[in-house]
Amino acid sequence: MRSIFRRSLLVSGLGFLTLTAHAQTTAKTDSVNIRKIYDEALLHGQSYENLRYLTGRIGGRLSGSPQAQLAVDWGKVTMEKLGLDRVYLQEVMVPHWVRGAKEKGEIKPAKGKGISMNICALGGSVGTGGKLRAGVVEVKTWAELAALPADKVKGKFVFFNRPMNPVHIETGKAYGEAGDQRRNGAVEAARRGAAGALVRSLSLAHDDFPHTGAMRYDEAVTKVPAAALSTNGADELSQLLKADPGLTFELEMSCETLPEVKSYNVVGEIKGSKYPGEIIAVGGHLDSWDLAQGAHDDGTGCVQSMEVLRLLRATGLKPERTVRAVLFMNEENGVRGGTRYAELARAANEKHLAAMESDGGGFTPRGFNIEAPAATVQRIQQWQPLLRPYFSGLFSAGHAGTDIGPLKDQANALIGYDCDSQRYFDIHHTAADTFDKVNRRELELGGASMASLIYLLSKYGL
Amino acid sequence: MRSIFRRSLLVSGLGFLTLTAHAQTTAKTDSVNIRKIYDEALLHGQSYENLRYLTGRIGGRLSGSPQAQLAVDWGKVTMEKLGLDRVYLQEVMVPHWVRGAKEKGEIKPAKGKGISMNICALGGSVGTGGKLRAGVVEVKTWAELAALPADKVKGKFVFFNRPMNPVHIETGKAYGEAGDQRRNGAVEAARRGAAGALVRSLSLAHDDFPHTGAMRYDEAVTKVPAAALSTNGADELSQLLKADPGLTFELEMSCETLPEVKSYNVVGEIKGSKYPGEIIAVGGHLDSWDLAQGAHDDGTGCVQSMEVLRLLRATGLKPERTVRAVLFMNEENGVRGGTRYAELARAANEKHLAAMESDGGGFTPRGFNIEAPAATVQRIQQWQPLLRPYFSGLFSAGHAGTDIGPLKDQANALIGYDCDSQRYFDIHHTAADTFDKVNRRELELGGASMASLIYLLSKYGL
């Protein structure tokens, strides 16, 4: 299916010199048009004010929540104001997990007063059904857990305390390496008969914020509650355990999973002037964890994706291929929106030239990660020089994104917007993921670099 | 003087193949050693905790202030703890301007109540001697000022309201273009008989922080007071002037210039194991404006420069050339420390292989700006591939820094540490330049990239 879109600029009836002159003119035009996109973004960008509304007026918007529905309504209205060719919703059923009113953790030393801990339930966890008090056994690896005698685990909290590795320059790599504790901690602890799981927050910062995030159960294994400790809290618990291995932990969480809820992806599009059947999708996820405002995760990706359409409109750069912004629902705990989008595209026999995602925060751009055959990656890399003046010219092969992942077999290329990653995991899935952490210029520059690559894709195809 | 240090790796008695094999082994060793530097910085970096102390315990430290002296003492003690070969002070006389207790601005409309404005004196301004109330005339360019009839300027405040241009990707370029208003506004206004100057803050953010910074007088022209308005305040004043051109502005500032004070550069060095007479200096400026803590400007440059020495020590990478960290005094309002350093180096007949400066904030590294003959720039650019895995491989020709500027004729290369510039001018010279704006990883990565290039310089020379 991919080959039908391949058109090489180099395969041409023109002679070499003519082609070179033509290529030069083309590069000049592209350079001028990309400058127009950046000027518009830096002078009149609307991402930042859109994000202020989404984060400040709607706030955290976990799938199934009333705020998620408000966000859908807001996304639709905001796109309708852009004067697009089409704005519509895609219905999708989503999980509905709620945190509930009670969320408390306390270390109970063998002697002396309890020590209150900042904790939060991991997303999808069962509640504790009142207070759950148990001993604690600390592990750093799955091998350590496997090696523990049964009586050391049974009825205890397994405390997963492997830190993210700070030596990785890409923080995402450290996140990837440590994330198995959060996702699988509860089920693996329960398999050994544990009462629950306490997980060190996935963060490279040393602070008091617990980080939530998705975890999973296995229907064949008892569901035990799972909570995150802040990095400081995890260090403290580890320290206390050394001196007082008999301490207990008291956890109380009233979170629960309610019946699924009908929700929506929000879609807006500009029809391609020459090849309307060739689609370039660009999106972020509209849902966010409930602890904060979902600013960098992923309000920024949503407002940038809508801004791509606005920038193309405002600069008068009519795309030859169809450009579609998608606000995906339920990336955080199910990827139902991304899955549904791909299903509907397949059912409608839609042809995706490319799908782009912004879900690494709204930080200073670096470039893009491209998931495609090597030849396609190289073809896209030819455009690097056009983005280098904007410090956005680093196009690498790599994982593109979660919401566009289900399109893998339907798109010539999946493209992840890549930006500076140093601060992202400090605030990711915490109460600190708020609007004030987003810098206006960094955000608008990101939208401009996304729009620039999409302009090129829409002009030249793949 | 430069040529004596030139040694080309390519001019060698070895045959091509041998050289290539040698070069490969060398590149491998360098790559491993640079990885060691980064590991040490990311696992055990001390910049962040040093900065916490400098900003939190000492705070703003304008030249001549008691805090500046505390910072000198701190710098010396901190370097002494590193076990260097030599730590010493360089005496230098510095200006001593003080803000004083009174600093108020108010718009007085023709009718109705006064509107209080966030203002601050520009550094070096004379005071108002009580309240100074006058009409306001707004200009955006020097040509507009020159074209005004004398009676429109005489006895008024000239309001310089040309914003920084947001379309520049490099914020420093926008700063450079707008900075003439702050530096020369008062003297040019006074030349036309004005009573004072009000200057729009040099910032790309829209907020309520006034930005201070250096301004100058001409001894032949009456010294009139100069204050900065926040960007929001400047917009408001401009708007009000349109409706009410007869409004007045009341300014009260008790700032003054006191007699010069003895102060110091703080210097620490590791002697080169093979070529101790060839010096690589690396520095930031120890003084800062008084409104805040001087975190990004330039506490970060100071702690990074000291960290370069610590990283070389901790990794056991004994430099073949002498590496010297310099905490320069008085960059902000006089560059006396930088000037003095170069004078003393010349007097002692010291040979500077290179001088590096970090004074663009402690943000995510990009690379370096190199001020040197083209051949030297190219030679340094050969090392780009070694820093690219750390996103610090962008080595460009460009302005290197203010404090090392006086070394221009004495060093083979001046090198400016280059980092992401998007947020810098939001907080530059304001009360918002505080420790919490600095990200630990971004800061430590910067020190590591500086240390890596210095390791290469110390090994290969220039």
Side-chain angles (χ1 to χ4, degrees), chain A residues 35 38-39 42-43 165-171 204-206 364 366 389-391 394 418 420 422-423 426 439-442 445, chain B residues 35 38-39 42-43 165-171 204-206 364 366 389-391 394 418 420 422-423 426 439-442 445:
Chain A
R35 185 64 254 190
Y38 274 88
D39 283 355
L42 291 168
L43 289 168
N165 187 346
V167 307
H168 294 309
I169 307 303
E170 290 281 46
T171 57
L204 287 159
H206 305 284
T364 294
R366 282 198 303 223
Y390 305 94
F391 300 104
L394 192 64
D418 183 38
D420 180 30
Q422 299 309 325
R423 286 171 281 151
D426 292 359
N439 177 273
R440 185 172 53 84
R441 284 180 62 86
E442 295 184 3
L445 284 169
Chain B
R35 184 66 252 189
Y38 274 88
D39 282 356
L42 290 168
L43 288 168
N165 187 347
V167 307
H168 294 309
I169 306 305
E170 290 281 45
T171 57
L204 287 159
H206 304 283
T364 295
R366 283 198 303 222
Y390 305 93
F391 299 104
L394 191 65
D418 182 38
D420 181 30
Q422 299 309 324
R423 286 171 279 151
D426 292 359
N439 177 273
R440 185 172 53 83
R441 285 179 62 85
E442 294 184 3
L445 284 169

Side-chain angles (χ1 to χ4, degrees), chain B residues 127-144:
Chain B
T128 53
K131 290 176 180 173
L132 173 62
R133 186 166 169 176
V136 178
V137 57
E138 176 178 347
V139 298
K140 293 228 162 97
T141 65
W142 302 113
E144 279 182 45

Side-chain angles (χ1 to χ4, degrees), chain B residues 178-229:
Chain B
D180 52 353
Q181 302 173 96
R182 189 191 76 201
R183 279 193 308 282
N184 302 326
V187 67
E188 296 306 325
R191 237 187 263 286
R192 300 292 318 278
L198 301 173
V199 184
R200 182 188 183 91
S201 282
L202 296 176
S203 173
L204 287 159
H206 304 283
D207 63 28
D208 299 319
F209 288 105
H211 294 231
T212 190
M215 48 86 70
R216 55 176 281 276
Y217 287 119
D218 180 330
E219 290 304 322
V221 179
T222 308
K223 295 179 180 178
V224 299
L229 304 179

